[in-house]
Amino acid sequence: MSLFKARDWWATTLGNGEEFDQGCLCVADVDNSGSGYDKIVVGSYMGMLRIFSPHPSKPGEPAEADSQLLEVHLKEPVIQVEVGKFVSCSELLHLAVLHPRRLSVYAVSGTSGNIEHGVQYQLRLVYEHNLQRAACNMTYGPFGGVTGHHFICIQSMDGMLMFFEQESYAFGRFLPGFLLPGPLCYCARTDTFITVSSARQVECYRYETLAVATDADTRQDSDQQSKISGKRLQADWTLVLGEQAIDICVPTFSPSACSIFVLGERNLYCLKDNGQIRFMKKLEYNPSCFLPYASIAEGTTNILMGNHNNMLLVYQDVMLKWAAQLSNVPVAVRLANLKGLVVTLSSEGHLQCSYMGTDPSFFTAPRVDAREVNYDEVDTEMRTLQKIIREATRTQGRTEQRAGTKIFWIVCVRTQHGYVGLTANALLSAGAGSQVVVAFSAFLNGRYPPADLGGDVALSYSCPTGVPRVAQCRFTLPLRIVCCPSPPLKNSKYKITLDTNKPPVSLHEVFPGTATTTLSDKEGNALAFQFITGTRVSVMASKTSQRYRIQSESFEDIWLVAKELVQRFELHFAKMGVKDFRNSFAGPIPLSEYFETVDHHFELRVNAEKYQDLLSERAVQFRAIQRRLLTRFKDKTPAPLQNLDTLMEGTYRQIIALADAAEENRAILHQAFARLRSATHLIILLVSLWQGLSSDQTAILEATLLPLLQDTPQLGWEESVDAAVSHLLRTCLSRSSKDQATSLSTSQLSIPKDITRLKKHITLLCDRLGKGGRLSLSSEANTPTPVMMPGAECLPVALVEYLHSGTLFKRMHCLGNHLQHNFFSSTDPLGAPLT
């Protein structure tokens, strides 16, 4: 045990139950404040990212709350954080965050406040790269001698070095003879990468060799195989250590001399840039982390080293200069530009800023008084304390009951602006019995009607007792926010007819504000709405029967009007006191019209994939031409270019044209998916009215046909719906127990070659519902069974959460992820032809 302790300057504990490692700590001026003081960036395996600007605190007192500038949950484990010049169009520092399957680059900025709360910090995503392989660690630097910017190299778990030139992916190379990943570091002076392989030897690879080398193995992806060409990859030099390395560091404080420090499990090595050993130090303890830094003495280097004995040691080359006791085992250590402070981080999340000092820690064991215990007095004291606790508990319960807050929501929407009114009957921040009005604006994303006009409002507040509360409310924007009154059309391409069990009513009464301005007759038998796209939707009421026809030139635009009509009918008859009112649809379900929308969406997805493949091919061709031109220019004996410059210019123009076409297709695809959602909502409404489905059954149908909020390149609507419908056909809508016993494939989904099978499955779903089938969470059709736990043949538990909560986002997100990872299949999940 050391006589001296590390003097605490600032300390805090991060989270509860979170885990950290050596790559989770970074110290730099990440917000580019120019104040000369660094910020501390910490990421955790639980996905939390925190940024601190520490201030000194008194001994024994907790750290001030304003020391934490930012806390963000990134929803994915943070493997490593680094700060550098990672954006091509900026000289500012940016934050790079490495996740297992993603590399994200953020800009951290602060906005000065006008009140006492000071500066507000924000984290803005600049760009990100989705990784095809699981990442282990990363390093960065001016690869290839580039000036003013930093490139990033990521080492995957299977031994591939992936190079990213800021916003673009450059190339990937497999390390020869790879088994397990080790620490990775970049040496800017020699433009080399140093790592320790599973053979327990230090290996050095030049960036130039990596750029022109081919892979030493055959484990490359098909989309990256064409990018890997050239000579066989070989190390520039190797050095056998005989032990596994914990970390590698190349200090940058001396540009004239280069030293490579390798921390082993029992030894510390200092190597020259050619692989020769400069010196080594045998350690008598288990090290946990280290950090070389500049020394005052010329020709020497200071080294901070932490070990598993809670010690922080300071070496000058091989000479021990200082030893201090820490409160925990550090897994990462950094030097901050904060008055020379040492920043340490433990695996449990103890973040500490300390400095070396001569404050000894003397501990004297207290004297033990050998006196007998009076058990009667102890028992009396215990009963008294328990009585006080019970009284305090009852008092707190009565206080919370009196302070119960009731929230009354009043949602009033005026054209493009919405007003949310809040009324409280208990003490909130605005006072008891007060009303608070919050105004917001609603705008359209594009020139097409949205698929949903609903929204959610959440209010978080604290009771007078300090107990946090959350109140939620869902509201619906009015139909007139996306359309306006219009003269009705007599004939249209698409028509649906809704029935009711009550005598016909005038549309004047159902649409009191709109019908008076759109009716062409005085009896209220017709009205129309014109959407922002120019299409019109007409509603016709029969004079003799209880039928209402909705027609339009666009099939998906019927959805919002049909939904509004059904809801207004229910509200109208409910006000009249009619309890047995019912809407219905006689059929048949317009699947052919619906499949036209599905075909259009799928065609755009196929086009997007084709554009992506063409862009990849042209990019590979462009880089190959660049490499050949570079070789020609570097040759001492000039050779003719052989029209390589013309070929490069033509390839560049092709890339720009393809990128523009892909961007245009993406915008059209986004609009097509919104129209597909509207058409799917209409089909769900018609099926529920056709078969009189309950709210639970309608929820199951909606979760099946609308599992995604948005298409992604990894998972699209077609394959998601096909797997979900197939699951229903094998469980609650199956015809035999043999179909129910068929297990579903767990392979990952991909975009199908065509959607013939999807159309067949949706048609079969409607057919079985029309023949008496009923949707349930049980694998047995038409049998009311309780919800089963995961592992049984039933729909996922995420769907059960939707039925209880009713929130759209939770249903989409949870169910989509569950389907993708558990029973989505790119092959026929039914395993047999459907009849």
Side-chain angles (χ1 to χ4, degrees):
M1 180 177 177
S2 174
L3 177 64
F4 302 110
K5 292 180 59 179
R7 303 285 297 274
D8 290 342
W9 187 79
W10 178 85
T12 186
T13 302
L14 308 179
N16 184 14
E18 298 185 41
E19 297 180 6
F20 304 81
D21 208 346
Q22 62 182 8
C24 298
L25 177 63
C26 181
V27 177
D29 188 17
V30 66
D31 61 339
N32 301 278
S33 63
S35 60
Y37 293 96
D38 289 339
K39 311 300 185 301
I40 302 176
V41 183
V42 183
S44 74
Y45 285 166
M46 303 305 170
M48 299 299 299
L49 180 68
R50 300 176 176 91
I51 301 178
F52 296 90
S53 178
H55 305 292
S57 57
K58 297 180 180 179
E61 294 184 359
E64 297 180 5
D66 59 350
S67 298
Q68 182 168 339
L69 306 182
L70 189 66
E71 181 178 272
V72 180
H73 186 206
L74 300 180
K75 300 180 181 179
E76 292 184 61
V78 176
I79 300 177
Q80 190 172 344
V81 290
E82 297 290 350
V83 175
K85 299 178 180 180
F86 301 130
V87 178
S88 59
C89 58
S90 175
E91 292 289 335
L92 300 178
L93 297 177
H94 289 77
L95 175 64
V97 181
L98 180 63
H99 302 288
R101 288 285 183 175
R102 181 181 292 112
L103 171 65
S104 302
V105 176
Y106 297 93
V108 180
S109 60
T111 304
S112 300
N114 297 325
I115 54 177
E116 61 183 3
H117 297 296
V119 182
Q120 296 182 356
Y121 287 83
Q122 296 179 348
L123 190 69
R124 178 177 59 87
L125 178 65
V126 180
Y127 66 87
E128 64 180 8
H129 294 288
N130 292 321
L131 306 179
Q132 300 296 327
R133 302 177 183 276
C136 176
N137 51 29
M138 69 175 176
T139 185
Y140 72 97
F143 303 164
V146 65
T147 58
H149 296 289
H150 292 153
F151 296 160
I152 297 176
C153 175
I154 299 177
Q155 180 180 206
S156 66
M157 297 296 294
D158 57 353
M160 186 179 185
L161 297 183
M162 297 172 286
F163 293 87
F164 296 89
E165 296 180 356
Q166 295 171 345
E167 292 87 349
S168 61
Y169 171 76
F171 58 90
R173 298 290 183 267
F174 277 102
L175 296 177
F178 181 87
L179 181 61
L180 294 173
L184 179 67
C185 188
Y186 173 73
C187 179
R189 183 173 181 270
T190 58
D191 198 21
T192 55
F193 294 87
I194 300 98
T195 184
V196 177
S197 66
S198 55
R200 298 186 174 182
Q201 64 180 9
V202 183
E203 299 177 357
C204 177
Y205 298 92
R206 292 189 178 274
Y207 179 74
E208 182 181 1
T209 305
L210 290 166
V212 300
T214 186
D215 199 287
D217 204 342
T218 59
R219 295 174 294 178
Q220 60 266 23
D221 291 339
S222 60
D223 59 340
Q224 296 176 349
Q225 186 174 2
S226 58
K227 296 185 178 183
I228 303 176
S229 61
K231 300 180 180 179
R232 182 180 179 88
L233 180 60
Q234 292 182 352
D236 190 48
W237 55 262
T238 60
L239 176 67
V240 177
L241 295 181
E243 63 179 334
Q244 189 59 41
I246 298 176
D247 198 3
I248 302 176
C249 185
V250 179
T252 58
F253 49 82
S254 178
S256 59
C258 179
S259 297
I260 303 172
F261 290 86
V262 181
L263 179 62
E265 296 175 336
R266 286 293 181 183
N267 297 278
L268 172 66
Y269 303 87
C270 179
L271 312 178
K272 298 180 181 179
D273 54 6
N274 59 359
Q276 297 179 358
I277 296 180
R278 178 167 291 168
F279 66 82
M280 65 175 292
K281 169 70 176 178
K282 183 175 178 60
L283 307 176
E284 300 177 355
Y285 46 81
N286 294 326
S288 59
C289 60
F290 85 126
L291 176 68
Y293 67 99
S295 174
I296 299 177
E298 185 178 356
T300 62
T301 303
N302 288 353
I303 303 169
L304 282 173
M305 187 177 302
N307 61 26
H308 288 273
N309 297 330
N310 295 11
M311 298 290 295
L312 184 63
L313 309 175
V314 182
Y315 288 92
Q316 188 177 68
D317 288 346
V318 296
M319 183 74 64
L320 180 64
K321 292 294 184 179
W322 195 265
Q325 186 78 26
L326 296 176
S327 58
N328 44 68
V329 178
V331 295
V333 58
R334 301 289 186 271
L335 279 180
N337 190 13
L338 295 168
K339 302 179 181 180
L341 294 176
V342 178
V343 183
T344 56
L345 175 67
S346 70
S347 59
E348 296 83 13
H350 298 284
L351 182 62
Q352 181 179 355
C353 294
S354 57
Y355 59 96
M356 308 300 170
T358 56
D359 183 16
S361 174
F362 300 105
F363 175 76
T364 304
R367 181 180 178 182
V368 179
D369 296 332
R371 60 184 181 86
E372 296 182 359
V373 178
N374 190 333
Y375 293 98
D376 294 336
E377 294 181 359
V378 172
D379 188 49
T380 303
E381 183 180 1
M382 176 64 70
R383 287 195 298 267
T384 303
L385 294 176
Q386 289 178 345
K387 182 178 179 181
I388 296 174
I389 293 173
R390 286 194 298 266
E391 289 293 333
T393 304
R394 284 196 294 266
T395 304
Q396 181 180 3
R398 289 193 298 267
T399 304
E400 292 185 359
Q401 185 175 5
R402 289 194 304 265
T405 304
K406 293 183 179 179
I407 307 299
F408 301 93
W409 301 91
I410 304 173
V411 181
C412 175
V413 184
R414 299 178 180 176
T415 311
Q416 292 182 339
H417 300 277
Y419 299 90
V420 179
L422 169 65
T423 304
N425 67 340
L427 183 60
L428 293 176
S429 60
S434 60
Q435 295 184 359
V436 179
V437 177
V438 180
F440 65 94
S441 300
F443 302 96
L444 294 173
N445 282 333
R447 299 289 298 176
Y448 54 89
D452 188 14
L453 294 175
D456 295 288
V457 178
L459 170 68
S460 60
Y461 62 96
S462 298
C463 292
T465 57
V467 179
R469 294 282 187 258
V470 176
Q472 294 180 346
C473 172
R474 181 164 180 81
F475 65 91
T476 302
L477 296 173
L479 182 63
R480 64 177 179 272
I481 205 171
V482 295
C483 63
C484 60
S486 173
L489 296 175
K490 294 183 179 180
N491 295 315
S492 297
K493 182 178 179 181
Y494 302 101
K495 303 175 182 179
I496 63 171
T497 303
L498 302 180
D499 298 336
T500 63
N501 60 347
K502 296 300 177 184
V505 296
S506 172
L507 295 179
H508 282 289
E509 302 177 8
V510 180
F511 293 88
T514 306
T516 55
T517 61
T518 61
L519 286 175
S520 59
D521 58 333
K522 299 181 179 180
E523 297 179 1
N525 293 328
L527 59 85
F529 303 91
Q530 182 175 2
F531 286 93
I532 56 175
T533 56
T535 58
R536 285 188 286 179
V537 180
S538 303
V539 181
M540 308 289 183
S542 174
K543 299 180 180 180
T544 57
S545 61
Q546 300 93 348
R547 292 190 172 187
Y548 303 86
R549 173 173 294 178
I550 308 174
Q551 57 187 20
S552 176
E553 293 297 327
S554 175
F555 178 73
E556 54 272 8
D557 288 343
I558 298 178
W559 151 242
L560 290 178
V561 178
K563 177 186 177 183
E564 187 78 12
L565 183 64
V566 170
Q567 292 179 347
R568 294 211 177 199
F569 275 158
E570 294 176 351
L571 182 61
H572 174 74
F573 286 101
K575 289 182 178 180
M576 296 176 59
V578 179
K579 297 181 179 180
D580 58 345
F581 171 76
R582 186 171 63 89
N583 291 297
S584 61
F585 177 69
I589 302 298
L591 291 180
S592 59
E593 294 84 350
Y594 174 60
F595 289 153
E596 293 177 3
T597 308
V598 176
D599 289 334
H600 179 60
H601 175 263
F602 180 72
E603 180 183 357
L604 292 174
R605 284 193 64 198
V606 173
N607 292 340
E609 199 170 62
K610 291 180 180 178
Y611 283 130
Q612 186 66 30
D613 295 339
L614 289 174
L615 277 172
S616 300
E617 294 177 2
R618 294 298 180 269
V620 171
Q621 176 179 326
F622 188 76
R623 293 191 62 83
I625 298 172
Q626 282 183 321
R627 285 196 295 267
R628 291 195 178 186
L629 282 174
L630 184 60
T631 304
R632 296 288 178 91
F633 291 147
K634 288 185 177 181
D635 196 354
K636 295 181 179 180
T637 58
L641 297 180
Q642 297 179 348
N643 296 324
L644 285 177
D645 53 344
T646 306
L647 183 59
M648 185 175 69
E649 183 179 357
T651 305
Y652 174 76
R653 292 179 179 178
Q654 290 180 0
I655 291 176
I656 295 300
L658 286 173
D660 293 339
E663 181 64 22
E664 182 181 357
N665 185 82
R666 186 199 63 80
I668 301 175
L669 178 60
H670 184 77
Q671 178 178 348
F673 184 75
R675 293 188 174 277
L676 177 60
R677 288 183 59 200
S678 298
T680 306
H681 276 299
L682 179 60
I683 293 297
I684 295 171
L685 175 65
L686 296 180
V687 171
S688 63
L689 297 178
W690 177 43
Q691 292 299 316
L693 301 181
S694 63
S695 58
D696 290 350
Q697 294 174 4
T698 304
I700 295 175
L701 183 61
E702 188 174 355
T704 303
L705 297 181
L706 288 172
L708 301 176
L709 281 173
Q710 186 60 51
D711 276 332
T712 62
Q714 295 80 19
L715 183 64
W717 181 88
E718 285 79 7
E719 55 266 31
S720 305
V721 172
D722 190 18
V725 172
S726 302
H727 182 74
L728 288 182
L729 295 176
R730 285 302 185 194
T731 52
C732 59
L733 295 179
S734 62
R735 290 185 173 180
S736 62
S737 58
K738 180 180 178 181
D739 292 340
Q740 298 178 11
T742 304
S743 60
L744 296 176
S745 174
T746 57
S747 59
Q748 189 173 2
L749 279 181
S750 61
I751 181 172
K753 296 181 179 179
D754 57 68
I755 54 175
T756 304
R757 187 183 65 177
L758 172 63
K759 296 179 182 178
K760 181 179 178 181
H761 290 175
I762 294 178
T763 305
L764 187 57
L765 172 69
C766 296
D767 180 64
R768 291 190 180 178
L769 287 175
K771 293 181 179 180
R774 285 296 175 262
L775 301 173
S776 67
L777 297 180
S778 172
S779 59
E780 298 182 1
N782 304 325
T783 304
T785 14
V787 176
M788 304 173 66
M789 296 302 293
E793 291 184 2
C794 62
L795 283 180
V797 175
L799 185 56
V800 183
E801 296 180 358
Y802 159 76
L803 296 178
H804 290 290
S805 65
T807 57
L808 181 64
F809 178 79
K810 181 184 292 184
R811 168 178 62 80
M812 294 296 185
H813 180 73
C814 297
L815 181 61
N817 289 341
H818 188 93
L819 293 177
Q820 178 184 1
H821 293 95
N822 289 275
F823 57 86
F824 272 173
S825 171
S826 58
T827 58
D828 189 352
L830 301 182
L834 296 172
T835 58

